[in-house]
Amino acid sequence: MTEPSRPVIVVNFKVYREVEGTKALDIARICGSVSKGSGISIAACPPMTELGNIARSVDIPVFSQNADPCLPGSSTGWSTPSMIKAAGAAGTLINHAEHRQTIRNISQVIELSRGCGLKTIVCADSVGAAVRIARFAPDMIAVEPPELIGGDVSVTDADPAIVENTVSAVKKVNKGISVLCGAGVKTGKDVKKALELGAGGVLLASGVVKAKDPREALLDLVRYL
Ligand code: G3P
């Protein structure tokens, strides 16, 4: 299990066809080799079905795409922070725009994750949501305007203010939280701009997973770092 360090590029594999079965490990290995060659921390968020296999096969931080507020025991079909940790993951995403959780559940997942040594990246769709989440002290908050997700215009161009404002608002609550930004991020220029706006890194998906050549896409993403 490897820990992420700043700046970090977090690649969410989502559940695209491109990552079904062993194809997820192929992309995770590319993330690993670009991370090794560039010295930049690249974290992979594979689908839950591939999480353990990938976490045991690569030397980069691996995060699950979600975790449930659930303790080990007599429950069915849930993903507990404890089992995600046991699978070898470094952390978990929580509250992605495509997998929302209630604020109560977010706080419980953060607490359970902290209890078992799992890092948390909590997604937020606005400055206000990020501030509410910051009070629970996750490791990272990723601000992503939902309408830009999967598109070709990066949040850093379409709405730089949301990135800057989220960074300053979150830091007022807790300086230790790293703020990432995401939605439409595809190039090294986007990553550079994200860092200029104060972000500690980026969270992205289609720019790598749907790219014709994911290795080239990742090499471009780390170009200016
Ligand atoms: O989790 C990252 C995601 O929501 C952004 O997706 O495809 O716009 O990079 P994408």
Side-chain angles (χ1 to χ4, degrees), residues 88-172:
T92 182
L93 286 180
I94 307 171
N95 195 43
H96 192 279
E98 294 148 4
H99 203 133
R100 284 279 182 242
Q101 298 218 33
T102 62
I103 194 81
R104 186 183 154 82
N105 284 5
I106 293 168
S107 85
Q108 287 177 349
V109 177
I110 293 171
E111 201 175 315
L112 290 172
S113 298
R114 191 179 295 120
C116 65
L118 202 63
K119 301 271 180 211
T120 47
I121 303 175
V122 187
C123 298
D125 61 2
S126 64
V127 180
V131 167
R132 281 192 292 281
I133 290 162
R135 298 193 182 110
F136 305 122
D139 296 285
M140 294 174 242
I141 291 177
V143 63
E144 296 198 316
E147 66 281 7
L148 298 174
I149 290 177
D152 286 323
V153 183
S154 170
V155 60
T156 50
D157 287 331
D159 194 356
I162 198 174
V163 182
E164 270 187 315
N165 294 341
T166 303
V167 173
S168 71
V170 165
K171 297 288 179 189
K172 274 184 200 142

Side-chain angles (χ1 to χ4, degrees), residues 12 14 16 96 98 144 148-151 183-185 203-207:
N12 178 5
K14 302 203 174 183
Y16 284 124
H96 192 279
E98 294 148 4
E144 296 198 316
L148 298 174
I149 290 177
V185 171
L203 171 63
L204 82 159
S206 54

Side-chain angles (χ1 to χ4, degrees), residues 6-208:
R6 286 186 67 172
V8 64
I9 294 181
V10 182
V11 183
N12 178 5
F13 293 11
K14 302 203 174 183
V15 293
Y16 284 124
R17 276 214 189 281
E18 286 82 351
V19 300
E20 286 182 354
T22 55
K23 290 183 280 184
L25 181 56
D26 295 342
I27 296 192
R29 285 204 163 115
I30 293 170
C31 291
S33 107
V34 174
S35 175
K36 197 169 173 196
S38 63
I40 299 301
S41 181
I42 300 177
C45 305
M48 199 61 86
T49 48
E50 303 301 320
L51 185 75
N53 182 34
I54 290 179
R56 286 186 285 271
S57 306
V58 296
D59 287 330
I60 53 170
V62 173
F63 279 61
S64 60
Q65 295 179 11
N66 183 53
D68 295 307
C70 186
L71 285 163
S74 179
S75 301
T76 300
W78 301 92
S79 301
T80 65
S82 174
M83 64 166 47
I84 290 166
K85 173 76 179 173
T92 182
L93 286 180
I94 307 171
N95 195 43
H96 192 279
E98 294 148 4
H99 203 133
R100 284 279 182 242
Q101 298 218 33
T102 62
I103 194 81
R104 186 183 154 82
N105 284 5
I106 293 168
S107 85
Q108 287 177 349
V109 177
I110 293 171
E111 201 175 315
L112 290 172
S113 298
R114 191 179 295 120
C116 65
L118 202 63
K119 301 271 180 211
T120 47
I121 303 175
V122 187
C123 298
D125 61 2
S126 64
V127 180
V131 167
R132 281 192 292 281
I133 290 162
R135 298 193 182 110
F136 305 122
D139 296 285
M140 294 174 242
I141 291 177
V143 63
E144 296 198 316
E147 66 281 7
L148 298 174
I149 290 177
D152 286 323
V153 183
S154 170
V155 60
T156 50
D157 287 331
D159 194 356
I162 198 174
V163 182
E164 270 187 315
N165 294 341
T166 303
V167 173
S168 71
V170 165
K171 297 288 179 189
K172 274 184 200 142
V173 179
N174 183 334
K175 279 192 175 42
I177 299 172
S178 180
V179 176
L180 313 181
C181 66
V185 171
K186 294 219 164 30
T187 67
K189 266 196 206 153
D190 300 337
V191 177
K192 185 168 174 274
K193 180 94 179 276
L195 300 191
E196 284 165 5
L197 293 168
V202 297
L203 171 63
L204 82 159
S206 54
V208 171

